Amino acid sequence: MSRRAFIVLICLGALIVAGAPRPLQARAQQSGSNVLPSWNPGPARDAIVAFVERVTKESGADYVPATDRIATFDNDGTLWSEQPIYFQLAFALDRVKTLAPAHPDWKERQPFKGVLEGDMKAVAASGERGMLELVAATHAGNTTAEFDAIVREWIATARHPKFDRPYTDLVYQPMLEVLAYLRANGFKTYIVSGGGIDFMRPWASKVYGISPEQIVGSRAKVRYELRGTEPVLVRLPEVDFIDDKAGKPVGIHQVIGRRPLAAFGNSDGDFEMLEWTTTAPGARFGLIVHHTDGEREWAYDRGSHIGTLARGLDEAPKRGWVVVDMKRDWKVIYPFQK
Amino acid sequence: MSRRAFIVLICLGALIVAGAPRPLQARAQQSGSNVLPSWNPGPARDAIVAFVERVTKESGADYVPATDRIATFDNDGTLWSEQPIYFQLAFALDRVKTLAPAHPDWKERQPFKGVLEGDMKAVAASGERGMLELVAATHAGNTTAEFDAIVREWIATARHPKFDRPYTDLVYQPMLEVLAYLRANGFKTYIVSGGGIDFMRPWASKVYGISPEQIVGSRAKVRYELRGTEPVLVRLPEVDFIDDKAGKPVGIHQVIGRRPLAAFGNSDGDFEMLEWTTTAPGARFGLIVHHTDGEREWAYDRGSHIGTLARGLDEAPKRGWVVVDMKRDWKVIYPFQK
């Protein structure tokens, strides 16, 4: 997925469902492998398995010790859905509604008025200033502990408009299997997302098996202060770091300090992460989830306002990146469809 | 250890060896425990063992699952020595000498002139501007890969002036044992240091068993760019983050995302890290290494220009922090003394 925090994130387009499903040739090959059971047999599944076997075979030329097996995953559009709007944006909009009673002026003031009236064009028209106000009002001013509780509450209660299920039900079963398969083979699995790190941490352990210290994301500045004798970290209305595009290799360096062995993304916001990963010496692996299934999920790529994928599609063949065709390669999309 | 990157780090005082050894009462108690063999029996060792047993005993009220067992360690003065100057400063000074032939003007220009002539008062007199020039000249302009190689080369060849040994020989054997003991009990061990993250990463795996992703430190800004088709991260002459004092809980939040169970430091630069750790709910542990051994190491605390320890000493008793008396509690200081 591609964004520059909420600024670009929300800018209008993000609110419109993009593209139409395009029919794609189905594959029906079978294989005896019981690895990655929600993946249809085919080149994508084969490539994942072949790579893992290549770097874990101790006698092999491409063997990599477990301590250096790092795999990074984008989140929105790679591990869970990102339509019709980024789920963190849905959180922000819900948060405005929750906070509105304490802010009577919001009824007459954009972008809040637009959010409260469901007028997303007015929200978008408020521009970058409006978006920053929205971020400040919904993502700042709390302590990190308070924000954690707010996110947990939302994740436990909010429901996705299309599926009428918790947002965390909309994770991709085939990718959960990739995460588990890599970990079973000694990899450390990281999220490297443009999304807010403190929005992902409260639930990623339970949903993905990825603990808070294995998440790289966009960050608000925080300040340490004492409230009485209790120290807190206060979330400030200032962007500290945007973990998107060329920011992803920077975030990887800040937190992980090594080039990953494998990187998984879905949009041009992940391009540099895959480039940084797959141009490093030795065996490397890059994979792009291509959203081709308008019936079971959504179909979009070039020109989409969320998760635009153009350069990645163009360059994947020459860079040796695997392009997953969701419709063709995935038996099921979500765990509840198993 | 305490500093605000190199700015405060170098400011004169840091170049002067502080304090004189103070005699302290020796203990000779023995115990049958074979845990932490380089620790003398006594309250410090007992407190470490008691804490680990308390949080790892599954039937106990204070049991903490392994996934939440995070321990953070300051580096300079806590895991290795920091006298007569921070070892990263020694690196910077050596680097000036290495680079000097390509910079003939340095012979006449402070702070470089002072470094080349060994006139540390002149270096300090160049003030913050001079310090920033020194950092820029020695720590920026390279790619992260180049800087990694430069640090490795220095670590492999430089020798500590007092001991005539590699700097990495000056790690504390008792603390290596604490690291190993904690890891054997399911803890993830992190360095949380005011030192530069990219200065520590190249050797911390080998020396401490701590991998690059388990290091939190001060950071220079880096920029992703292509050199031909090869992506690199270029180190810029700008401070991105200073991981000291109230910055330590911030760095812990950025990278780890949870409050540690245990924190180990040696100076007032670690105060907030210990406060953030030990005021969290449940069983927590804080430990301060007090430099009391002027014969085997160095003796310093209040008023020292490196590793000042005053507030920590004053408040340790009421906060329940363990104060290690190096002279009394450690059988040996360095591995080569075993």
Side-chain angles (χ1 to χ4, degrees):
Chain A
M1 75 104 217
S2 164
R3 67 179 134 187
R4 285 193 56 86
F6 266 62
I7 300 145
V8 172
L9 185 161
I10 304 183
C11 285
L12 188 52
L15 304 168
I16 297 162
V17 182
R22 291 167 308 146
L24 280 147
Q25 204 184 340
R27 292 181 61 103
Q29 253 175 262
Q30 286 302 323
S31 126
S33 170
N34 57 5
V35 169
L36 306 175
S38 297
W39 289 69
N40 285 315
R45 191 185 74 175
D46 291 351
I48 297 167
V49 173
F51 175 75
V52 170
E53 292 180 348
R54 191 173 157 205
V55 297
T56 55
K57 189 178 172 185
E58 274 201 59
S59 57
D62 293 320
Y63 176 73
V64 176
T67 182
D68 290 331
R69 292 181 205 150
I70 304 279
T72 56
F73 292 80
D74 170 57
N75 185 38
D76 300 290
T78 300
L79 294 179
W80 72 353
S81 291
E82 59 186 345
Q83 301 282 4
I85 56 174
Y86 290 123
F87 296 176
Q88 190 174 355
L89 174 55
F91 163 77
L93 301 181
D94 283 355
R95 188 95 191 111
V96 167
K97 291 168 199 158
T98 303
L99 296 172
H103 300 272
D105 58 308
W106 284 2
K107 278 186 195 158
E108 300 306 326
R109 192 155 70 85
Q110 295 295 1
F112 305 103
K113 183 170 187 282
V115 173
L116 297 173
E117 295 174 353
D119 178 0
M120 287 308 168
K121 282 187 182 161
V123 175
S126 71
E128 186 171 320
R129 181 202 53 74
M131 295 310 111
L132 287 173
E133 279 198 70
L134 210 52
V135 175
T138 59
H139 281 70
N142 304 297
T143 68
T144 52
E146 288 162 354
F147 189 73
D148 181 274
I150 290 165
V151 172
R152 281 176 201 272
E153 166 74 10
W154 184 81
I155 282 286
T157 55
R159 299 183 77 85
H160 187 278
K162 177 174 170 183
F163 290 94
D164 191 25
R165 286 175 167 275
Y167 285 90
T168 48
D169 279 9
L170 273 67
V171 297
Y172 303 134
Q173 176 63 29
M175 295 305 286
L176 296 181
E177 293 169 7
V178 171
L179 288 169
Y181 174 56
L182 288 172
R183 288 194 291 257
N185 281 280
F187 280 78
K188 275 195 177 177
T189 52
Y190 279 82
I191 291 172
V192 177
S193 170
I197 188 167
D198 288 340
F199 176 74
M200 296 180 279
R201 279 171 166 163
W203 49 269
S205 292
K206 190 173 157 195
V207 173
Y208 299 134
I210 295 179
S211 51
E213 70 272 21
Q214 288 176 210
I215 300 178
V216 183
S218 297
R219 297 189 302 258
K221 287 200 173 161
V222 299
R223 185 181 57 224
Y224 186 79
E225 62 181 49
L226 289 176
R227 293 193 174 171
T229 59
E230 287 304 307
V232 294
L233 290 173
V234 178
R235 293 172 55 81
L236 306 178
E238 287 176 66
V239 171
D240 182 41
F241 177 65
I242 296 185
D243 189 50
D244 193 35
K245 300 185 188 289
K248 289 205 174 193
V250 173
I252 288 169
H253 182 72
Q254 285 182 356
V255 175
I256 307 176
R258 284 177 288 181
R259 292 168 84 165
L261 276 199
F264 300 76
N266 77 297
S267 82
D268 285 348
D270 303 313
F271 190 92
E272 287 84 354
M273 175 169 76
L274 268 70
E275 180 176 66
W276 179 238
T277 299
T278 60
T279 55
R284 307 279 164 167
F285 186 80
L287 182 147
I288 294 172
V289 174
H290 186 195
H291 293 263
T292 54
D293 196 328
E295 286 181 40
R296 294 185 300 172
E297 207 242 2
W298 285 269
Y300 57 99
D301 47 38
R302 296 171 198 279
S304 165
H305 296 287
I306 298 179
T308 312
L309 178 65
R311 191 178 173 202
L313 276 184
D314 293 339
E315 298 196 18
K318 77 172 186 204
R319 290 177 179 266
W321 297 347
V322 173
V323 178
V324 169
D325 180 327
M326 283 178 78
K327 184 166 181 167
R328 178 193 69 186
D329 291 325
W330 288 1
K331 275 186 200 155
V332 296
I333 307 287
Y334 302 124
F336 61 81
Q337 297 168 330
K338 273 200 297 185
Chain B
M1 75 105 219
S2 164
R3 64 179 138 187
R4 289 200 45 94
F6 267 60
I7 300 148
V8 173
L9 184 162
I10 303 184
C11 283
L12 189 54
L15 304 166
I16 296 159
V17 181
R22 291 167 307 147
L24 281 147
Q25 202 183 343
R27 293 181 60 101
Q29 252 175 265
Q30 286 302 322
S31 128
S33 170
N34 57 5
V35 168
L36 306 175
S38 296
W39 289 70
N40 285 315
R45 191 186 73 174
D46 291 350
I48 297 168
V49 173
F51 174 76
V52 170
E53 291 179 348
R54 189 173 159 207
V55 295
T56 56
K57 190 179 172 184
E58 274 200 61
S59 58
D62 292 322
Y63 175 72
V64 176
T67 183
D68 290 330
R69 292 180 204 151
I70 305 277
T72 57
F73 292 80
D74 171 56
N75 185 38
D76 300 289
T78 299
L79 294 179
W80 72 352
S81 290
E82 59 186 346
Q83 300 281 5
I85 55 173
Y86 290 125
F87 296 176
Q88 190 173 357
L89 174 56
F91 162 77
L93 300 180
D94 283 355
R95 188 95 192 112
V96 167
K97 292 168 197 158
T98 303
L99 295 172
H103 301 271
D105 59 309
W106 284 1
K107 278 186 195 157
E108 300 307 326
R109 191 154 72 84
Q110 295 296 1
F112 305 103
K113 183 170 188 281
V115 174
L116 296 172
E117 294 172 355
D119 179 359
M120 288 308 170
K121 283 189 183 159
V123 174
S126 70
E128 187 171 321
R129 182 201 54 77
M131 295 311 112
L132 287 172
E133 279 199 71
L134 210 51
V135 175
T138 59
H139 281 69
N142 304 296
T143 68
T144 52
E146 289 162 354
F147 189 74
D148 181 276
I150 290 164
V151 172
R152 281 176 200 272
E153 167 74 12
W154 184 81
I155 283 286
T157 56
R159 299 183 76 85
H160 188 276
K162 176 173 171 185
F163 290 93
D164 191 24
R165 287 178 166 272
Y167 284 89
T168 47
D169 279 11
L170 273 67
V171 296
Y172 303 135
Q173 175 63 28
M175 294 305 285
L176 296 181
E177 293 170 7
V178 171
L179 288 170
Y181 174 56
L182 287 172
R183 289 194 291 258
N185 281 280
F187 280 78
K188 275 195 177 178
T189 53
Y190 279 83
I191 291 172
V192 177
S193 170
I197 188 168
D198 288 340
F199 177 75
M200 295 180 279
R201 279 172 165 163
W203 49 269
S205 292
K206 191 174 157 195
V207 173
Y208 300 134
I210 294 180
S211 52
E213 69 273 19
Q214 288 176 213
I215 301 178
V216 184
S218 296
R219 297 188 301 259
K221 287 201 172 156
V222 299
R223 184 180 59 223
Y224 185 79
E225 62 181 49
L226 289 176
R227 294 194 171 169
T229 58
E230 288 304 306
V232 293
L233 290 173
V234 179
R235 293 172 55 82
L236 307 177
E238 288 175 68
V239 171
D240 183 40
F241 177 65
I242 296 184
D243 189 51
D244 194 35
K245 299 185 188 291
K248 290 202 174 195
V250 173
I252 288 169
H253 182 72
Q254 285 182 356
V255 175
I256 306 176
R258 283 176 288 180
R259 293 169 83 165
L261 275 198
F264 300 76
N266 77 295
S267 82
D268 286 347
D270 303 311
F271 190 91
E272 287 84 354
M273 175 169 75
L274 267 71
E275 180 177 65
W276 179 238
T277 299
T278 60
T279 54
R284 308 279 164 166
F285 185 80
L287 182 148
I288 294 172
V289 173
H290 186 193
H291 292 264
T292 52
D293 196 328
E295 286 182 40
R296 295 185 300 171
E297 208 243 3
W298 285 269
Y300 57 100
D301 47 39
R302 295 172 200 278
S304 166
H305 296 286
I306 298 179
T308 313
L309 177 65
R311 190 177 173 203
L313 276 183
D314 292 339
E315 298 196 17
K318 77 171 184 206
R319 290 178 179 266
W321 298 347
V322 173
V323 178
V324 170
D325 181 326
M326 282 177 78
K327 184 166 181 166
R328 178 193 69 184
D329 291 325
W330 288 1
K331 275 186 199 154
V332 297
I333 307 287
Y334 303 123
F336 60 81
Q337 296 168 332
K338 273 200 298 186

